[in-house]
Amino acid sequence: MKRERRTRSDMMRVLVVDDEADIRELLDLTLARMGLAADCAGSVGEAKELLARGHYKLCLTDMRLPDGAGIELVRHIGEHCRDLPVAVITAHGSMENAVSALKAGAFDYLAKPVSLEQLRALVKSALELPQRNESGETSAARSLLGESPAMRQTRDMIERVARSQAPVYISGESGSGKELAARLIYRLGARREGPFIAVNCGAIPENLMESEFFGYRKGAFTGAETDRLGFFQAADGGTLFLDEVADLPLTMQVKLLRVIQEKRVRMIGATAEEGVDVRIICATHHGLKTLVEQGRFRQDLFYRLNVIELAMPALRDCREDIPLLARNILVRLAGASGEATPTLTPAALAALSAYPFPGNVRELENVLERALALMVGDAIDVVDLRLAPFPQGDELQQGQAPLQDYLDQVEKRAIMEALGKTRFNRTAAAKLLGVTFRSLRYRMERLGLNE
Ligand SMILES: Nc1ncnc2c1ncn2[C@@H]1O[C@H](COP(=O)(O)OP(=O)(O)OP(=O)(O)O)[C@@H](O)[C@H]1O
Ligand SMILES: [Mg+2]
């Protein structure tokens, strides 16, 4: 390495943990060629010592070590050096190990025998991870609004999974922000300079699926007049977002699984497969697990996609965020039409806070957009919101909401309607509801309606 100007001590350092000397040497040499210096450890204990002293950009560890498992090191790093990406090297064909390492917080994995091409891609991604600022949350993550514990937890989880290459399955009700979350994971991750390809799996006709996903060569079939890239090739080096993934037909699920497993894809009409480097994020508002149980979604594909699950909370589970979200949406809507931002009357705000929002944030956006069109004067009132009179009973049928939550919702709606009708006169509202003023006050307090 004579042409290297920098001394090894100035270089970015990688910690290599493997008990086999020749693998350590191979990794050391390869990293040196990439301008990186490696410190080598032969055991979990040695690695922990080096971690305590040195400052590393990346850690590569074998899974089986003389004094413990590589996964132990993954957990150790997660606790003590949160910003350090750690990748595991797994035995050939041992997908279980790779998945459990990713679940434990590994950045990525390499299968033995280590392909130099994959090693280079992995190192490059690790070095491209954005620096996290001291205050914790990155500003981009703030575009997912809300200060409720559930929303904070979601943001935290997004930041963590963004720093990994693991496949993510985003679950959550319709309109709860699954796509927004997928885009955030992309923007905060190592692949943010690469493409983000969003595919609505429900919108592609079944007979076109293969060519849309895998592309085709000129002459592969009548009408194939030029080569055409598929989603996988278009997303190479970046992220492929499979939205509404539950809508994939079973035949396509098999083909997709193969590509994900092999990291190789063959265009229709091509003779050879080509490697693709794609991070998969998928989402659906259906419960994928239930579909697997019903035989409508392949278990093996589910296992590959669901390495990390990000569950988007329903808006009714983050009620305290409704005022903040509503204000932000109004600022945006008014700004777009160049008008002054309207306010919400206290009764309107209370009605929104009590409403169950089966359509989540998207429904809140729609409700406010409609209210903006309907309102007279400069404040939005309960009538302008046109909220559905009662929560739909289907939550109960699905057996998801505990009875008390359901009854609370019904009670809230009744109170809000009465308050709306009496323009927030609590004495009159109590009379309308046939309860005493004290009882109404108590109920409002219990339901958190006293803002
Ligand atoms: N926490 C949030 N903060 C700000 N905006 C949000 C939040 N959650 C969702 N949104 C907004 O709500 C709308 C719906 O979000 P998105 O399209 O991501 O939902 P989805 O879960 O993909 O819905 P669907 O299941 O119907 O596809 C978008 O305009 C999104 O920007
Ligand atoms: Mg969506």
Side-chain angles (χ1 to χ4, degrees):
M1 293 277 97
K2 269 195 209 112
R3 59 199 161 78
E4 257 318 327
R5 281 248 206 79
R6 289 173 297 178
T7 63
R8 272 177 81 102
S9 59
D10 293 338
M11 295 197 255
M12 293 200 270
R13 305 192 80 79
V14 176
L15 177 61
V16 172
V17 192
D18 203 306
D19 55 339
E20 281 173 66
D22 46 345
I23 293 194
R24 287 200 301 260
E25 203 170 317
L26 171 79
L27 292 173
D28 187 9
L29 273 173
T30 314
L31 292 166
R33 260 186 232 125
M34 300 176 74
L36 298 162
D39 284 349
C40 294
S43 66
V44 175
E46 257 183 77
K48 284 184 183 169
E49 266 175 44
L50 285 171
L51 281 168
R53 278 188 273 135
H55 199 83
Y56 297 101
K57 281 282 179 185
L58 171 67
C59 173
L60 287 172
T61 178
D62 194 12
M63 277 301 257
R64 225 174 307 158
L65 293 159
D67 58 341
I71 203 151
E72 197 185 307
L73 203 54
V74 171
R75 295 211 179 89
H76 176 85
I77 288 173
E79 274 169 38
H80 301 279
C81 336
R82 216 177 112 136
D83 283 350
L84 172 64
V86 47
V88 297
I89 304 171
T90 58
H92 178 70
S94 159
M95 195 56 205
E96 281 80 32
N97 271 337
V99 168
S100 46
L102 289 171
K103 280 190 198 289
F107 162 75
D108 205 350
Y109 68 94
L110 286 170
K112 279 184 196 169
V114 174
S115 123
L116 292 187
E117 184 195 350
Q118 279 175 12
L119 174 63
R120 273 192 214 104
L122 183 147
V123 171
K124 192 164 160 275
S125 303
L127 299 183
E128 279 172 0
L129 277 176
Q131 293 293 318
R132 227 191 316 218
N133 55 15
E134 296 302 304
S135 65
E137 276 189 351
T138 32
S139 56
R142 311 286 314 174
S143 66
L144 196 79
L145 298 172
E147 296 304 327
S148 59
M151 200 48 81
R152 280 169 185 268
Q153 229 170 42
T154 306
R155 270 202 302 272
D156 188 60
M157 180 78 175
I158 286 175
E159 296 213 328
R160 265 187 296 141
V161 303
R163 300 182 73 80
S164 137
Q165 303 293 315
V168 183
Y169 158 46
I170 308 176
S171 61
E173 292 178 11
S174 199
S176 59
K178 296 186 292 298
E179 178 158 0
L180 183 60
R183 289 182 186 276
L184 272 175
I185 293 172
Y186 160 70
R187 269 182 25 217
L188 297 175
R191 293 170 173 263
R192 67 196 176 290
E193 304 290 338
F196 178 87
I197 305 289
V199 177
N200 182 343
C201 298
I204 309 166
E206 199 166 336
N207 58 334
L208 294 183
M209 276 213 167
E210 235 187 298
S211 59
E212 291 282 347
F213 272 93
F214 310 135
Y216 53 79
R217 286 264 180 247
K218 181 180 170 181
F221 44 82
T222 13
E225 282 166 9
T226 51
D227 285 3
R228 209 185 119 164
L229 298 183
F231 299 137
F232 272 96
Q233 292 93 356
D236 198 16
T239 303
L240 182 58
F241 175 46
L242 302 175
D243 203 1
E244 306 305 344
V245 71
D247 294 343
L248 282 175
L250 284 163
T251 49
M252 194 59 201
Q253 292 176 23
V254 184
K255 291 176 181 153
L256 208 59
L257 175 68
R258 235 188 79 81
V259 173
I260 294 173
Q261 251 166 356
E262 309 290 324
K263 296 188 175 170
R264 303 185 75 76
V265 46
R266 188 161 65 89
M267 289 175 126
I268 303 175
T271 44
E273 290 190 331
E274 281 173 67
V276 281
D277 166 34
V278 168
R279 180 180 194 188
I280 307 271
I281 302 180
C282 72
T284 169
H285 63 281
H286 297 289
L288 264 191
K289 208 162 168 234
T290 316
L291 293 184
V292 169
E293 280 154 18
Q294 295 168 348
R296 286 157 65 198
F297 200 86
R298 288 184 66 104
Q299 166 96 51
D300 45 10
L301 181 59
F302 177 62
Y303 175 73
R304 281 303 166 105
L305 295 175
N306 179 35
V307 173
I308 293 175
E309 179 175 348
L310 174 68
M312 296 304 292
L315 186 54
R316 80 187 78 82
D317 295 329
C318 329
R319 278 190 198 284
E320 62 259 56
D321 292 334
I322 291 175
L324 172 74
L325 279 165
R327 255 192 308 278
N328 268 274
I329 293 166
L330 286 175
V331 167
R332 177 160 50 79
L333 290 174
S337 56
E339 283 162 31
T341 308
T343 53
L344 287 155
T345 63
L349 202 55
L352 285 177
S353 301
Y355 183 68
F357 283 106
N360 297 292
V361 184
R362 179 172 309 107
E363 186 179 7
L364 177 61
E365 288 176 345
N366 293 342
V367 164
L368 291 175
E369 198 168 356
R370 189 174 54 203
L372 216 51
L374 292 177
M375 65 185 281
V376 280
D378 50 13
I380 295 175
D381 208 349
V382 182
V383 284
D384 305 319
L385 297 173
R386 305 223 167 164
L387 297 173
F390 277 95
Q392 271 110 37
D394 54 11
E395 276 171 342
L396 265 195
Q397 277 153 28
Q398 286 170 7
Q400 281 172 351
L403 182 60
Q404 191 56 52
D405 289 359
Y406 178 73
L407 294 176
D408 286 352
Q409 279 166 25
V410 175
E411 194 179 339
K412 266 188 192 173
R413 287 258 1 115
I415 292 175
M416 289 324 304
E417 287 214 319
L419 286 169
K421 279 185 195 144
T422 59
R423 307 204 74 81
F424 230 69
N425 179 332
R426 285 189 291 176
T427 312
K431 200 172 277 171
L432 208 62
L433 291 163
V435 298
T436 62
F437 176 76
R438 281 170 65 100
S439 161
L440 177 62
R441 204 176 53 188
Y442 160 76
R443 284 165 195 271
M444 287 176 66
E445 189 126 283
R446 189 178 74 78
L447 297 168
L449 294 179
N450 275 345
E451 284 221 353

